[in-house]
Amino acid sequence: MDRDEVDRALARLDAEHEAIETSLLALQDHAGRRLLEGAELTGVTKERWAATEQSISLLWAYFDAYTAALESVRELRARRRWPTRDDLAELTERLRGESVTLAGAALHNAPTLTGPARLTERFTLAELVNRMNELYAHSLDLVVAADAVWSALPARIDLLAAELHRTRGLAHSVGVRPGEHPSGDDLESITAELTELRAQVVSDPLAFWVPAPGSSAPGGGRPDTGRYDRAARALEDVRREIDAVLTVRQDAEQRLVRLRDVLSRADRTLAEARSARGEVLAKIAASEVPAVSGPSIVLQEQLATAAEYRRHSQWHRLSPLLESLEQEAEDELLRARESLTAVTAPLAVRAELRGRLDAYKAKVARHGMAEDPLLIERYDAARRMLWSAPCDLRVAEQAVLRYQRAAADLLVPRKAGPDDLRGDS
């Protein structure tokens, strides 16, 4: 190497020395490294940090040797402004040859990235720089990964734990407690999971680190938040359940009043159906009248239970009971209305026959045939059947039809037009 090449090489090595020193000091002051030194580590983090501590010690040993070698080259170059041939030969050897020797004591018997520990190692300055870069990248990767997990997860776990604490207080206020409600058991399970998760994250952060595939940059990856996310989703499910219970607490009285009203209407309708059934049996003959059941004792008992739950603020039990009761009460009211309709059907048929008979009589009267003996006879027969008790509907209907046919026979020949009775039967 000539003098200019030597000076350029020294300038480059000085710049590398400064950059390495800056990086080492930054690593030394890194918050993640300080946390790793002070933490009670377990698992994979404990194992990898022990190896990384040796790598950092080896890194400083390499740097000290590099600094000493570079200083000796500077001193040799500073002897003469114009170095001799021998000086240039020695400078070339120191700058390009394996001029740096590290003994086992300096290496602390530490393993290298490429194999087991050696008693001595010889390096060129370029090789030493490469070795330091490898050790630095490896050490920084671990420190950054641990720091990223510690920065991301414990704070989030603490926030979720605070939310969990508030949710537990709210749950207890509405009777959602362990052993009494599934959501109370879920809260206990989430509490235990968050406690265990936080302890593991603090003592073994690298167990929660997912390296980025194909990434060679230090700290390439992301914290594994899977367990935290599952706990957060479970807590959100519990919160929705508690919100439902709170909603019940707010409008429980109104819902109970509505339920009592629906069941009361169902009972009144059934009572009306029972009364109507007696009337039908007394007034209508030869008719099948369905039986009418009494009010639902089960629903009344459940309504009383619901009121008891509300009285004792057992909202978690009241919520599902009200849901089922509201549907069953509507079904009971519908059943009562259908029963009333079925029971009063014969009376409706009789009323329809009466209306039809009177309508034909009025039409016959308009045509001046009200005094016809046949019509009077058949009208009186049908009317006696429809207005007597018990009324045989089948016989009464036949009587009405006979009156209709007689009226039609008299009216059709005399008048054909809008008022004729074709098809009336």
Side-chain angles (χ1 to χ4, degrees):
M1 299 173 68
D2 59 27
R3 186 188 69 164
D4 291 339
E5 288 176 326
V6 168
D7 289 342
R8 285 196 297 272
L10 273 173
R12 186 183 69 254
L13 291 171
D14 283 340
E16 288 179 342
H17 179 273
E18 183 178 355
I20 292 171
E21 183 178 30
T22 301
S23 298
L24 288 178
L25 292 175
L27 177 61
Q28 194 72 14
D29 292 335
H30 197 289
R33 189 200 64 79
R34 293 198 300 270
L35 288 172
L36 284 164
E37 282 189 341
E40 295 183 5
L41 302 176
T42 60
V44 64
T45 306
K46 181 179 181 179
E47 179 182 341
R48 290 182 59 187
W49 175 240
T52 300
E53 278 190 306
Q54 290 186 343
S55 295
I56 293 175
S57 298
L58 181 59
L59 185 55
W60 280 105
Y62 282 159
F63 181 71
D64 291 340
Y66 178 78
T67 302
L70 188 57
E71 184 61 32
S72 68
V73 174
R74 288 198 198 98
E75 290 177 358
L76 179 58
R77 175 64 184 89
R79 290 178 188 174
R80 298 180 182 85
R81 182 179 180 184
W82 300 96
T84 64
R85 186 176 182 82
D86 291 339
D87 291 339
L88 290 174
E90 185 174 354
L91 287 168
T92 300
E93 175 60 26
R94 293 192 182 187
L95 289 171
R96 293 183 174 176
E98 293 182 345
S99 58
V100 184
T101 301
L102 277 78
L107 296 174
H108 305 287
N109 292 322
T112 67
L113 296 178
T114 57
R118 302 175 186 175
L119 294 178
T120 61
E121 283 191 276
R122 294 179 61 84
F123 302 95
T124 65
L125 289 175
E127 290 173 345
L128 195 56
V129 169
N130 290 335
R131 181 65 63 83
M132 285 189 289
N133 285 336
E134 292 174 0
L135 287 172
Y136 175 78
H138 175 75
S139 302
L140 182 63
D141 181 68
L142 182 141
V143 169
V144 169
D147 186 55
V149 172
W150 278 331
S151 298
L153 278 175
R156 295 171 69 179
I157 292 172
D158 289 343
L159 288 174
L160 189 62
E163 180 66 21
L164 174 62
H165 180 72
R166 289 192 293 271
T167 303
R168 289 181 67 182
L170 190 61
H172 286 187
S173 71
V174 294
V176 177
R177 297 182 176 87
E180 299 180 7
H181 193 280
S183 293
D185 297 332
D186 291 341
L187 286 174
E188 289 299 301
S189 176
I190 297 169
T191 300
E193 168 65 3
L194 288 183
T195 302
E196 179 183 356
L197 178 61
R198 194 184 194 287
Q200 291 179 358
V201 166
V202 170
S203 66
D204 192 8
L206 296 183
F208 297 87
W209 180 252
V210 181
S215 174
S216 58
R222 61 174 179 81
D224 180 4
T225 61
R227 287 176 61 183
Y228 167 85
D229 294 337
R230 286 191 293 273
R233 287 194 297 270
L235 180 58
E236 182 59 28
D237 291 341
V238 172
R239 279 192 57 81
R240 283 196 292 269
E241 177 66 23
I242 294 172
D243 287 342
V245 174
L246 284 172
T247 301
V248 170
R249 184 174 70 174
Q250 292 169 358
D251 60 6
E253 181 58 31
Q254 293 180 356
R255 293 174 70 179
L256 285 171
V257 168
R258 286 196 298 269
L259 273 172
R260 293 190 186 98
D261 178 64
V262 172
L263 289 178
S264 176
R265 282 188 285 155
D267 290 347
R268 290 196 302 271
T269 304
L270 287 174
E272 184 181 351
R274 286 191 295 274
S275 175
R277 186 173 188 273
E279 180 183 356
V280 169
L281 290 175
K283 295 181 177 180
I284 307 296
S287 179
E288 295 181 359
V289 183
V292 180
S293 64
S296 175
I297 302 301
V298 174
L299 290 182
Q300 293 294 342
E301 290 176 348
Q302 290 180 342
L303 183 61
T305 301
E308 192 70 15
Y309 285 161
R310 182 188 178 279
R311 191 175 301 111
H312 293 91
S313 301
Q314 294 179 315
W315 312 110
H316 61 293
R317 294 179 177 174
L318 180 60
S319 176
L321 181 57
L322 283 178
E323 292 289 339
S324 63
L325 262 177
E326 286 168 340
Q327 183 59 51
E328 292 174 5
E330 291 295 336
D331 294 342
E332 177 70 6
L333 179 58
L334 178 61
R335 183 179 67 83
R337 288 170 174 169
E338 291 174 346
S339 182
L340 177 61
T341 300
V343 165
T344 56
L347 292 177
V349 171
R350 188 186 66 172
E352 190 272 335
L353 290 173
R354 285 178 173 180
R356 195 195 309 174
L357 181 66
D358 288 343
Y360 272 94
K361 181 183 179 183
K363 180 173 285 191
V364 167
R366 285 199 306 271
H367 290 285
M369 293 182 292
E371 302 301 324
D372 184 86
L374 179 62
L375 292 180
I376 291 174
E377 177 189 351
R378 293 193 175 180
Y379 174 81
D380 289 342
R383 193 177 190 285
R384 281 195 303 273
M385 293 180 187
L386 287 173
W387 268 266
S388 64
C391 171
D392 190 326
L393 290 177
R394 286 187 292 271
V395 175
E397 183 178 15
Q398 292 300 318
V400 172
L401 288 174
R402 284 195 298 273
Y403 177 73
Q404 286 180 245
R405 284 193 290 268
D409 290 341
L410 291 174
L411 292 174
V412 170
R414 295 190 180 188
K415 183 176 181 62
D419 293 332
D420 73 7
L421 302 181
R422 282 175 292 178
D424 281 350
S425 62

